[in-house]
Coordinates of all heavy atoms in Angstrom, one line a residue:
M1 N -92.1 50.2 -17.8 CA -91.2 49.1 -17.7 C -91.9 47.8 -18.2 O -93.1 47.6 -17.9 CB -90.8 48.8 -16.3 CG -89.8 49.8 -15.6 SD -88.3 50.1 -16.5 CE -88.4 51.8 -16.5
A2 N -91.2 47.0 -18.9 CA -91.8 45.7 -19.3 C -91.8 44.8 -18.1 O -91.0 44.8 -17.2 CB -90.9 45.2 -20.4
N3 N -92.8 43.9 -18.2 CA -92.9 42.8 -17.1 C -91.9 41.7 -17.5 O -92.3 40.8 -18.2 CB -94.3 42.3 -17.0 CG -94.4 41.4 -15.8 OD1 -93.5 41.3 -15.0 ND2 -95.6 40.8 -15.7
L4 N -90.6 41.9 -17.1 CA -89.6 41.0 -17.5 C -89.6 39.7 -16.7 O -89.6 39.8 -15.5 CB -88.2 41.7 -17.4 CG -87.0 41.1 -18.1 CD1 -87.3 41.0 -19.6 CD2 -85.8 41.9 -17.8
K5 N -89.5 38.6 -17.3 CA -89.5 37.3 -16.6 C -88.1 36.8 -16.4 O -87.9 35.6 -16.2 CB -90.3 36.3 -17.5 CG -91.7 36.7 -17.8 CD -92.7 35.9 -17.0 CE -94.1 36.1 -17.4 NZ -94.9 37.0 -16.7
I6 N -87.1 37.6 -16.3 CA -85.8 37.2 -16.1 C -85.4 37.8 -14.7 O -85.6 38.9 -14.4 CB -84.8 37.8 -17.1 CG1 -85.1 37.3 -18.5 CG2 -83.3 37.5 -16.7 CD1 -84.3 38.0 -19.6
K7 N -84.9 36.9 -13.8 CA -84.5 37.3 -12.5 C -82.9 37.1 -12.4 O -82.5 36.0 -12.3 CB -85.2 36.5 -11.4 CG -84.8 36.9 -10.0 CD -85.3 38.2 -9.6 CE -85.0 38.6 -8.2 NZ -85.1 39.9 -7.9
P8 N -82.2 38.2 -12.4 CA -80.7 38.1 -12.3 C -80.3 37.6 -11.0 O -80.9 37.9 -10.0 CB -80.2 39.5 -12.6 CG -81.3 40.4 -12.5 CD -82.6 39.6 -12.6
L9 N -79.2 36.9 -10.9 CA -78.7 36.3 -9.7 C -77.6 37.3 -9.1 O -77.0 38.1 -9.8 CB -78.0 35.0 -9.9 CG -79.0 33.9 -10.5 CD1 -78.2 32.6 -10.8 CD2 -80.1 33.6 -9.5
S10 N -77.4 37.2 -7.8 CA -76.4 37.9 -7.0 C -76.3 39.4 -7.3 O -77.4 40.0 -7.2 CB -75.0 37.2 -7.4 OG -74.0 37.7 -6.5
D11 N -75.2 39.9 -7.8 CA -75.0 41.3 -8.0 C -75.2 41.7 -9.4 O -74.7 42.7 -9.9 CB -73.7 41.8 -7.5 CG -72.5 41.2 -8.2 OD1 -72.7 40.1 -8.9 OD2 -71.4 41.7 -8.2
R12 N -76.0 40.9 -10.2 CA -76.2 41.2 -11.6 C -77.4 42.0 -11.8 O -78.4 41.9 -11.1 CB -76.2 39.9 -12.4 CG -74.8 39.3 -12.5 CD -74.8 38.0 -13.3 NE -73.5 37.5 -13.5 CZ -72.8 36.9 -12.6 NH1 -73.3 36.6 -11.4 NH2 -71.6 36.4 -12.9
V13 N -77.4 42.8 -12.9 CA -78.6 43.6 -13.3 C -78.9 43.4 -14.8 O -78.0 43.1 -15.5 CB -78.4 45.1 -13.0 CG1 -78.2 45.4 -11.5 CG2 -77.2 45.7 -13.7
V14 N -80.1 43.6 -15.1 CA -80.5 43.5 -16.6 C -80.9 45.0 -17.0 O -81.6 45.7 -16.3 CB -81.8 42.6 -16.8 CG1 -82.2 42.6 -18.2 CG2 -81.5 41.2 -16.3
I15 N -80.3 45.4 -18.1 CA -80.4 46.8 -18.6 C -81.0 46.7 -20.0 O -80.6 45.9 -20.8 CB -79.1 47.5 -18.6 CG1 -78.6 47.6 -17.2 CG2 -79.2 48.8 -19.3 CD1 -77.2 48.2 -17.0
E16 N -82.0 47.6 -20.2 CA -82.5 47.8 -21.6 C -81.7 49.0 -22.2 O -81.9 50.1 -21.7 CB -84.0 48.1 -21.6 CG -84.6 48.2 -22.9 CD -86.1 48.4 -22.9 OE1 -86.7 48.2 -21.8 OE2 -86.6 48.8 -23.9
P17 N -80.8 48.8 -23.1 CA -80.0 49.9 -23.7 C -80.9 50.9 -24.4 O -81.9 50.6 -25.0 CB -79.1 49.2 -24.7 CG -79.2 47.7 -24.4 CD -80.5 47.5 -23.8
S18 N -80.5 52.1 -24.3 CA -81.2 53.2 -25.0 C -80.9 53.0 -26.5 O -79.9 52.5 -26.9 CB -80.7 54.6 -24.6 OG -80.9 54.8 -23.3
P19 N -81.8 53.4 -27.4 CA -81.6 53.3 -28.8 C -80.4 54.1 -29.3 O -80.2 55.2 -28.7 CB -82.9 53.7 -29.5 CG -83.6 54.4 -28.4 CD -83.1 54.0 -27.1
A20 N -79.7 53.6 -30.3 CA -78.5 54.4 -30.8 C -79.0 55.6 -31.5 O -80.1 55.6 -32.1 CB -77.7 53.5 -31.7
E21 N -78.2 56.7 -31.5 CA -78.6 57.9 -32.1 C -78.7 57.7 -33.7 O -77.8 57.1 -34.2 CB -77.6 59.0 -31.8 CG -77.6 59.5 -30.4 CD -78.8 60.2 -30.0 OE1 -79.4 61.0 -30.8 OE2 -79.3 60.0 -28.8
T22 N -79.7 58.2 -34.3 CA -79.8 58.1 -35.7 C -79.5 59.4 -36.5 O -79.3 59.4 -37.7 CB -81.2 57.6 -36.1 OG1 -82.2 58.6 -35.6 CG2 -81.5 56.3 -35.6
K23 N -79.4 60.5 -35.7 CA -79.1 61.8 -36.3 C -78.3 62.6 -35.4 O -78.5 62.6 -34.2 CB -80.5 62.5 -36.5 CG -80.4 63.7 -37.5 CD -81.7 64.4 -37.6 CE -82.7 63.7 -38.5 NZ -83.9 64.5 -38.8
T24 N -77.3 63.4 -35.9 CA -76.5 64.2 -35.1 C -77.2 65.5 -34.7 O -78.3 65.8 -35.3 CB -75.2 64.6 -35.9 OG1 -75.6 65.4 -37.0 CG2 -74.4 63.4 -36.3
S25 N -76.7 66.3 -33.8 CA -77.3 67.5 -33.4 C -77.5 68.5 -34.6 O -78.3 69.4 -34.6 CB -76.6 68.1 -32.2 OG -75.3 68.4 -32.6
S26 N -76.6 68.4 -35.6 CA -76.7 69.3 -36.7 C -77.6 68.8 -37.8 O -77.7 69.4 -38.8 CB -75.3 69.6 -37.3 OG -74.7 68.4 -37.7
G27 N -78.2 67.6 -37.6 CA -79.1 67.1 -38.6 C -78.6 66.0 -39.5 O -79.3 65.6 -40.4
I28 N -77.4 65.6 -39.4 CA -76.8 64.6 -40.3 C -77.3 63.2 -39.9 O -77.2 62.9 -38.7 CB -75.2 64.7 -40.3 CG1 -74.8 66.0 -40.8 CG2 -74.7 63.6 -41.1 CD1 -73.3 66.3 -40.6
I29 N -77.8 62.5 -40.8 CA -78.3 61.1 -40.5 C -77.1 60.1 -40.5 O -76.3 60.1 -41.4 CB -79.3 60.7 -41.6 CG1 -80.5 61.6 -41.5 CG2 -79.7 59.2 -41.4 CD1 -81.6 61.4 -42.6
I30 N -77.1 59.3 -39.4 CA -76.0 58.4 -39.2 C -76.4 57.0 -39.8 O -77.5 56.5 -39.3 CB -75.6 58.3 -37.7 CG1 -75.2 59.6 -37.2 CG2 -74.5 57.2 -37.5 CD1 -75.1 59.6 -35.7
P31 N -75.7 56.4 -40.7 CA -76.1 55.1 -41.2 C -75.8 54.0 -40.2 O -75.1 54.2 -39.2 CB -75.1 54.9 -42.4 CG -74.0 55.8 -42.2 CD -74.5 56.9 -41.4
D32 N -76.5 52.9 -40.3 CA -76.4 51.8 -39.3 C -75.0 51.3 -39.1 O -74.6 50.9 -38.0 CB -77.3 50.6 -39.8 CG -78.8 50.9 -39.7 OD1 -79.1 51.8 -38.9 OD2 -79.6 50.2 -40.3
T33 N -74.2 51.3 -40.2 CA -72.8 50.8 -40.0 C -71.9 51.7 -39.2 O -70.9 51.3 -38.7 CB -72.2 50.6 -41.4 OG1 -72.3 51.9 -42.1 CG2 -72.9 49.5 -42.2
A34 N -72.3 53.0 -39.1 CA -71.5 53.9 -38.3 C -72.0 54.3 -36.9 O -71.4 55.0 -36.2 CB -71.4 55.2 -39.1
K35 N -73.1 53.7 -36.6 CA -73.7 54.0 -35.2 C -72.8 53.4 -34.1 O -72.3 52.3 -34.3 CB -75.1 53.4 -35.1 CG -76.1 54.1 -35.9 CD -77.5 53.5 -35.7 CE -78.5 54.2 -36.7 NZ -79.8 53.5 -36.6
E36 N -72.7 54.1 -33.1 CA -71.9 53.6 -31.9 C -72.8 52.9 -31.0 O -74.0 53.2 -30.9 CB -71.3 54.8 -31.2 CG -70.1 55.4 -31.9 CD -69.2 56.2 -30.9 OE1 -69.2 55.9 -29.7 OE2 -68.5 57.1 -31.4
K37 N -72.3 51.9 -30.3 CA -73.1 51.1 -29.3 C -73.5 52.1 -28.2 O -72.6 52.8 -27.7 CB -72.2 50.0 -28.8 CG -72.8 49.0 -28.0 CD -71.9 47.9 -27.7 CE -72.5 46.9 -26.8 NZ -71.5 45.9 -26.4
P38 N -74.7 52.1 -27.8 CA -75.1 53.0 -26.7 C -74.5 52.6 -25.4 O -74.2 51.5 -25.2 CB -76.7 52.8 -26.6 CG -76.9 51.5 -27.3 CD -75.8 51.3 -28.3
Q39 N -74.2 53.6 -24.6 CA -73.6 53.4 -23.3 C -74.5 53.8 -22.1 O -74.0 54.0 -21.0 CB -72.3 54.2 -23.2 CG -71.2 53.7 -24.2 CD -70.0 54.5 -24.1 OE1 -69.9 55.5 -24.8 NE2 -69.1 54.1 -23.3
E40 N -75.8 53.9 -22.4 CA -76.7 54.2 -21.3 C -78.0 53.4 -21.5 O -78.3 53.0 -22.6 CB -77.0 55.7 -21.2 CG -77.7 56.3 -22.4 CD -77.9 57.8 -22.2 OE1 -77.0 58.5 -22.0 OE2 -79.1 58.2 -22.3
G41 N -78.7 53.2 -20.4 CA -79.9 52.4 -20.5 C -80.7 52.5 -19.2 O -80.3 53.2 -18.3
I42 N -81.8 51.7 -19.2 CA -82.7 51.7 -18.0 C -82.5 50.3 -17.4 O -82.6 49.3 -18.0 CB -84.1 51.9 -18.4 CG1 -84.3 53.2 -19.2 CG2 -85.1 51.9 -17.3 CD1 -84.1 54.5 -18.4
V43 N -82.4 50.3 -16.0 CA -82.3 49.0 -15.3 C -83.8 48.5 -15.2 O -84.7 49.2 -14.8 CB -81.8 49.3 -13.9 CG1 -81.8 48.0 -13.1 CG2 -80.4 49.8 -13.9
V44 N -83.9 47.3 -15.7 CA -85.3 46.6 -15.7 C -85.4 45.5 -14.7 O -86.5 45.1 -14.4 CB -85.7 46.2 -17.2 CG1 -85.9 47.3 -18.1 CG2 -84.7 45.2 -17.7
A45 N -84.3 45.0 -14.2 CA -84.3 43.9 -13.2 C -83.0 43.9 -12.4 O -82.0 44.2 -13.0 CB -84.6 42.5 -13.9
V46 N -83.1 43.6 -11.2 CA -81.9 43.5 -10.3 C -81.9 42.3 -9.5 O -82.9 41.7 -9.2 CB -81.8 44.8 -9.4 CG1 -81.6 46.0 -10.1 CG2 -82.9 44.8 -8.4
G47 N -80.7 41.8 -9.2 CA -80.5 40.6 -8.4 C -80.7 41.0 -6.9 O -81.0 42.1 -6.6
L48 N -80.4 40.1 -6.0 CA -80.6 40.3 -4.6 C -79.3 40.9 -4.0 O -79.3 41.4 -2.8 CB -80.9 39.0 -3.8 CG -82.2 38.4 -4.3 CD1 -82.4 37.0 -3.6 CD2 -83.4 39.3 -3.9
G49 N -78.2 40.9 -4.7 CA -76.9 41.5 -4.2 C -76.2 40.3 -3.5 O -76.6 39.2 -3.3
K50 N -74.9 40.7 -3.1 CA -74.1 39.7 -2.4 C -74.4 39.9 -0.9 O -74.9 40.9 -0.4 CB -72.6 40.0 -2.7 CG -72.2 39.7 -4.1 CD -70.7 39.9 -4.2 CE -70.3 39.6 -5.6 NZ -68.8 39.8 -5.8
Q51 N -74.0 38.9 -0.2 CA -74.1 38.9 1.3 C -73.3 40.1 1.8 O -72.1 40.3 1.5 CB -73.6 37.6 1.9 CG -74.0 37.5 3.4 CD -73.6 36.1 3.9 OE1 -72.9 35.4 3.3 NE2 -74.0 35.9 5.1
N52 N -73.9 40.9 2.7 CA -73.3 42.1 3.3 C -73.0 43.2 2.3 O -72.2 44.1 2.6 CB -72.1 41.7 4.1 CG -72.4 40.8 5.2 OD1 -73.4 40.8 5.8 ND2 -71.4 39.9 5.5
E53 N -73.5 43.1 1.0 CA -73.2 44.1 0.0 C -74.5 44.4 -0.8 O -74.7 43.8 -1.8 CB -72.2 43.7 -1.0 CG -70.8 43.7 -0.4 CD -69.7 43.4 -1.5 OE1 -69.9 43.8 -2.6 OE2 -68.8 42.7 -1.2
P54 N -75.4 45.2 -0.3 CA -76.7 45.4 -1.0 C -76.4 46.2 -2.3 O -75.4 46.9 -2.4 CB -77.5 46.3 0.0 CG -76.5 46.9 0.9 CD -75.3 46.0 1.0
L55 N -77.3 46.1 -3.3 CA -77.2 46.7 -4.5 C -77.5 48.2 -4.4 O -78.4 48.6 -3.6 CB -78.1 46.1 -5.6 CG -77.7 44.7 -6.0 CD1 -78.7 44.2 -7.0 CD2 -76.4 44.7 -6.7
T56 N -76.8 49.0 -5.2 CA -77.1 50.5 -5.2 C -78.1 50.9 -6.2 O -78.9 51.8 -5.9 CB -75.7 51.2 -5.5 OG1 -74.7 50.7 -4.7 CG2 -75.9 52.7 -5.3
V57 N -78.2 50.2 -7.3 CA -79.1 50.6 -8.3 C -80.5 49.9 -8.1 O -80.5 48.9 -7.5 CB -78.6 50.2 -9.8 CG1 -77.4 51.0 -10.1 CG2 -78.4 48.7 -9.9
K58 N -81.5 50.5 -8.6 CA -82.9 50.0 -8.5 C -83.5 49.9 -9.8 O -83.1 50.6 -10.8 CB -83.7 50.9 -7.6 CG -83.2 51.0 -6.2 CD -84.0 52.0 -5.4 CE -83.5 52.2 -4.0 NZ -82.4 53.1 -3.9
T59 N -84.5 49.2 -9.9 CA -85.3 49.1 -11.2 C -85.8 50.5 -11.6 O -86.3 51.2 -10.7 CB -86.5 48.1 -11.0 OG1 -86.0 46.8 -10.6 CG2 -87.3 47.9 -12.3
G60 N -85.6 50.8 -12.8 CA -86.1 52.1 -13.3 C -85.0 53.2 -13.3 O -85.2 54.2 -13.9
N61 N -83.8 52.9 -12.7 CA -82.7 53.9 -12.8 C -82.1 54.0 -14.2 O -82.0 53.0 -14.9 CB -81.5 53.5 -11.8 CG -81.8 53.7 -10.4 OD1 -81.3 53.0 -9.6 ND2 -82.5 54.8 -10.0
K62 N -81.8 55.2 -14.6 CA -81.1 55.4 -15.9 C -79.6 55.4 -15.6 O -79.2 56.1 -14.7 CB -81.5 56.7 -16.6 CG -81.0 56.9 -17.9 CD -81.6 58.1 -18.6 CE -81.1 58.1 -20.0 NZ -81.7 59.3 -20.8
V63 N -78.8 54.5 -16.2 CA -77.4 54.3 -15.9 C -76.5 54.5 -17.1 O -76.9 54.3 -18.2 CB -77.2 52.9 -15.2 CG1 -77.9 52.8 -13.9 CG2 -77.6 51.8 -16.1
L64 N -75.2 54.7 -16.8 CA -74.2 54.7 -17.8 C -73.3 53.5 -17.5 O -73.0 53.2 -16.3 CB -73.3 56.0 -17.6 CG -73.9 57.3 -18.0 CD1 -72.9 58.4 -17.7 CD2 -74.2 57.3 -19.5
Y65 N -72.9 52.8 -18.5 CA -72.0 51.6 -18.4 C -70.9 51.7 -19.4 O -71.0 52.4 -20.4 CB -72.8 50.4 -18.4 CG -73.7 50.3 -19.6 CD1 -73.3 49.8 -20.9 CD2 -75.1 50.7 -19.6 CE1 -74.1 49.7 -22.0 CE2 -75.9 50.6 -20.7 CZ -75.4 50.1 -21.9 OH -76.2 50.0 -23.0
G66 N -69.9 50.8 -19.2 CA -68.8 50.8 -20.1 C -69.2 50.3 -21.5 O -70.2 49.5 -21.7
K67 N -68.5 50.7 -22.5 CA -68.8 50.4 -23.9 C -68.9 48.9 -24.2 O -69.8 48.5 -24.9 CB -67.8 51.1 -24.8 CG -68.2 51.0 -26.3 CD -67.2 51.7 -27.2 CE -67.8 53.0 -27.5 NZ -67.0 53.8 -28.5
Y68 N -68.1 48.2 -23.6 CA -68.0 46.7 -23.9 C -68.5 45.9 -22.7 O -68.1 44.7 -22.6 CB -66.7 46.3 -24.4 CG -66.3 47.1 -25.6 CD1 -65.3 48.1 -25.6 CD2 -66.9 46.8 -26.9 CE1 -65.0 48.8 -26.7 CE2 -66.6 47.6 -28.0 CZ -65.6 48.5 -27.9 OH -65.3 49.3 -29.0
S69 N -69.2 46.5 -21.8 CA -69.7 45.8 -20.6 C -70.8 44.9 -20.9 O -71.7 45.2 -21.7 CB -70.1 46.8 -19.5 OG -69.0 47.6 -19.1
G70 N -71.0 43.9 -20.1 CA -72.1 43.0 -20.1 C -72.2 42.0 -21.2 O -71.4 42.0 -22.1
T71 N -73.2 41.2 -21.1 CA -73.5 40.2 -22.1 C -74.8 40.5 -22.8 O -75.8 40.7 -22.1 CB -73.6 38.8 -21.4 OG1 -72.4 38.5 -20.7 CG2 -73.9 37.7 -22.4
E72 N -74.8 40.5 -24.1 CA -76.0 40.9 -24.8 C -77.0 39.7 -24.8 O -76.6 38.5 -24.8 CB -75.7 41.2 -26.3 CG -74.9 42.5 -26.4 CD -74.5 42.8 -27.8 OE1 -74.8 42.0 -28.7 OE2 -73.9 43.9 -28.0
L73 N -78.3 40.0 -24.7 CA -79.3 39.0 -24.5 C -80.5 39.5 -25.3 O -80.9 40.6 -25.3 CB -79.6 38.9 -23.0 CG -80.9 38.2 -22.6 CD1 -80.7 36.7 -22.8 CD2 -81.1 38.4 -21.1
R74 N -81.1 38.6 -26.1 CA -82.4 38.9 -26.8 C -83.5 38.0 -26.2 O -83.4 36.8 -26.1 CB -82.2 38.6 -28.3 CG -83.4 39.0 -29.1 CD -83.1 39.1 -30.6 NE -84.1 39.9 -31.3 CZ -84.0 41.2 -31.5 NH1 -83.0 41.8 -31.2 NH2 -85.0 41.8 -32.1
F75 N -84.5 38.7 -25.7 CA -85.6 38.0 -25.0 C -86.9 38.6 -25.4 O -87.1 39.9 -25.3 CB -85.4 38.2 -23.4 CG -86.4 37.4 -22.6 CD1 -86.3 36.1 -22.5 CD2 -87.4 38.1 -22.0 CE1 -87.2 35.3 -21.8 CE2 -88.3 37.4 -21.2 CZ -88.2 36.0 -21.1
N76 N -87.8 37.8 -25.9 CA -89.1 38.3 -26.4 C -89.0 39.4 -27.5 O -89.8 40.4 -27.5 CB -90.0 38.7 -25.3 CG -90.6 37.6 -24.5 OD1 -90.6 36.5 -24.9 ND2 -91.0 37.9 -23.2
G77 N -88.0 39.3 -28.3 CA -87.8 40.3 -29.4 C -87.2 41.6 -29.0 O -87.1 42.5 -29.8
K78 N -86.7 41.7 -27.8 CA -86.1 42.9 -27.3 C -84.6 42.6 -26.9 O -84.4 41.5 -26.4 CB -86.8 43.6 -26.1 CG -88.2 44.1 -26.5 CD -88.8 44.8 -25.3 CE -88.6 46.3 -25.6 NZ -89.2 47.1 -24.5
D79 N -83.8 43.6 -27.1 CA -82.4 43.5 -26.7 C -82.2 44.0 -25.3 O -82.7 45.0 -24.9 CB -81.5 44.2 -27.6 CG -81.5 43.6 -29.0 OD1 -81.6 42.4 -29.2 OD2 -81.4 44.4 -30.0
Y80 N -81.4 43.2 -24.5 CA -81.0 43.6 -23.1 C -79.5 43.3 -22.9 O -78.9 42.6 -23.7 CB -81.8 42.7 -22.1 CG -83.3 42.9 -22.2 CD1 -84.1 42.0 -22.9 CD2 -83.9 44.0 -21.6 CE1 -85.5 42.2 -22.9 CE2 -85.3 44.2 -21.6 CZ -86.1 43.3 -22.3 OH -87.4 43.4 -22.3
L81 N -79.0 43.9 -21.9 CA -77.7 43.6 -21.4 C -77.8 43.0 -20.0 O -78.5 43.6 -19.2 CB -76.8 44.8 -21.4 CG -76.3 45.3 -22.7 CD1 -75.7 46.7 -22.5 CD2 -75.3 44.4 -23.4
I82 N -77.0 42.0 -19.7 CA -76.9 41.6 -18.3 C -75.5 41.7 -17.8 O -74.6 41.3 -18.5 CB -77.4 40.1 -18.1 CG1 -77.6 39.7 -16.7 CG2 -76.6 39.1 -18.9 CD1 -78.4 38.5 -16.4
M83 N -75.3 42.4 -16.7 CA -73.9 42.7 -16.2 C -73.9 42.8 -14.7 O -74.9 42.9 -14.1 CB -73.4 44.0 -16.9 CG -74.2 45.3 -16.4 SD -73.6 46.8 -17.2 CE -74.1 46.6 -18.9
R84 N -72.7 42.8 -14.2 CA -72.5 43.0 -12.8 C -72.7 44.5 -12.4 O -72.5 45.3 -13.3 CB -71.1 42.6 -12.3 CG -70.8 41.1 -12.4 CD -69.5 40.8 -11.8 NE -69.3 39.3 -11.9 CZ -69.8 38.4 -11.0 NH1 -70.5 38.8 -10.0 NH2 -69.5 37.2 -11.2
E85 N -73.2 44.7 -11.2 CA -73.4 46.1 -10.8 C -72.1 46.9 -10.9 O -72.1 48.1 -11.2 CB -74.0 46.2 -9.4 CG -74.3 47.6 -9.0 CD -74.7 47.8 -7.6 OE1 -74.1 47.0 -6.7 OE2 -75.5 48.6 -7.3
S86 N -71.0 46.3 -10.6 CA -69.7 47.0 -10.7 C -69.3 47.5 -12.1 O -68.5 48.4 -12.2 CB -68.6 46.1 -10.1 OG -68.5 44.9 -10.9
D87 N -70.0 47.0 -13.1 CA -69.7 47.4 -14.5 C -70.5 48.7 -14.8 O -70.2 49.4 -15.8 CB -70.1 46.4 -15.5 CG -69.2 45.2 -15.5 OD1 -68.0 45.3 -15.0 OD2 -69.6 44.1 -15.9
I88 N -71.4 49.1 -13.9 CA -72.2 50.3 -14.1 C -71.3 51.5 -13.6 O -70.8 51.4 -12.4 CB -73.5 50.3 -13.3 CG1 -74.4 49.2 -14.0 CG2 -74.2 51.6 -13.4 CD1 -75.7 48.9 -13.3
L89 N -71.2 52.5 -14.4 CA -70.3 53.6 -14.0 C -71.0 54.7 -13.2 O -70.4 55.3 -12.3 CB -69.7 54.3 -15.3 CG -68.9 53.3 -16.2 CD1 -68.5 54.0 -17.5 CD2 -67.8 52.7 -15.5
A90 N -72.3 55.0 -13.6 CA -73.0 56.1 -12.9 C -74.5 55.9 -13.0 O -75.0 55.3 -14.0 CB -72.6 57.4 -13.4
I91 N -75.2 56.5 -12.1 CA -76.7 56.6 -12.2 C -76.9 58.0 -12.7 O -76.4 59.0 -12.1 CB -77.4 56.3 -10.9 CG1 -77.1 54.9 -10.4 CG2 -78.9 56.6 -11.0 CD1 -77.6 54.6 -9.0
I92 N -77.8 58.2 -13.7 CA -78.1 59.5 -14.3 C -79.3 60.1 -13.6 O -80.3 59.4 -13.5 CB -78.3 59.5 -15.8 CG1 -77.1 58.9 -16.5 CG2 -78.6 60.8 -16.3 CD1 -77.2 58.7 -18.0

């Protein structure tokens, strides 16, 4: 995990998206214009949660999230997503 200097507030989490697939299982190379936005990533920072509602996810969890969830953020040359915990669909 990177030593991230971003501290999300309330029930928000910061996720480092997994890289998009560049090749199919059969070996076909996917061009940049046809790549799908990844829907999984690693939680790199979590907020404190809401009062009487602790967060379920922890730093280091691999999670699935909605295709258009979160706000994209570029910090120190890396791409991240910041979203509410409720936008996370599952922990893998």
Side-chain angles (χ1 to χ4, degrees):
M1 292 303 131
N3 189 7
L4 195 61
K5 303 252 191 258
I6 298 174
K7 181 67 178 166
L9 300 176
S10 189
D11 64 338
R12 289 181 173 78
V13 297
V14 178
I15 297 175
E16 183 176 346
S18 298
E21 293 293 322
T22 58
K23 194 184 282 190
T24 65
S25 59
S26 61
I28 298 172
I29 296 174
I30 303 170
D32 288 339
T33 55
K35 287 182 186 172
E36 284 198 28
K37 190 174 174 184
Q39 291 178 273
E40 63 182 57
I42 304 290
V43 177
V44 293
V46 295
L48 298 174
K50 291 184 178 180
Q51 188 175 12
N52 300 326
E53 288 183 40
L55 291 176
T56 308
V57 297
K58 297 177 183 79
T59 302
N61 285 147
K62 187 172 184 178
V63 294
L64 291 175
Y65 50 85
K67 187 175 261 187
Y68 302 106
S69 298
T71 301
E72 294 177 356
L73 167 71
R74 186 163 195 95
F75 186 74
N76 287 339
K78 291 187 104 178
D79 292 324
Y80 297 99
L81 286 171
I82 189 164
M83 65 180 70
R84 293 190 180 275
E85 184 189 35
S86 60
D87 292 336
I88 295 174
L89 305 174
I91 299 172
I92 302 174

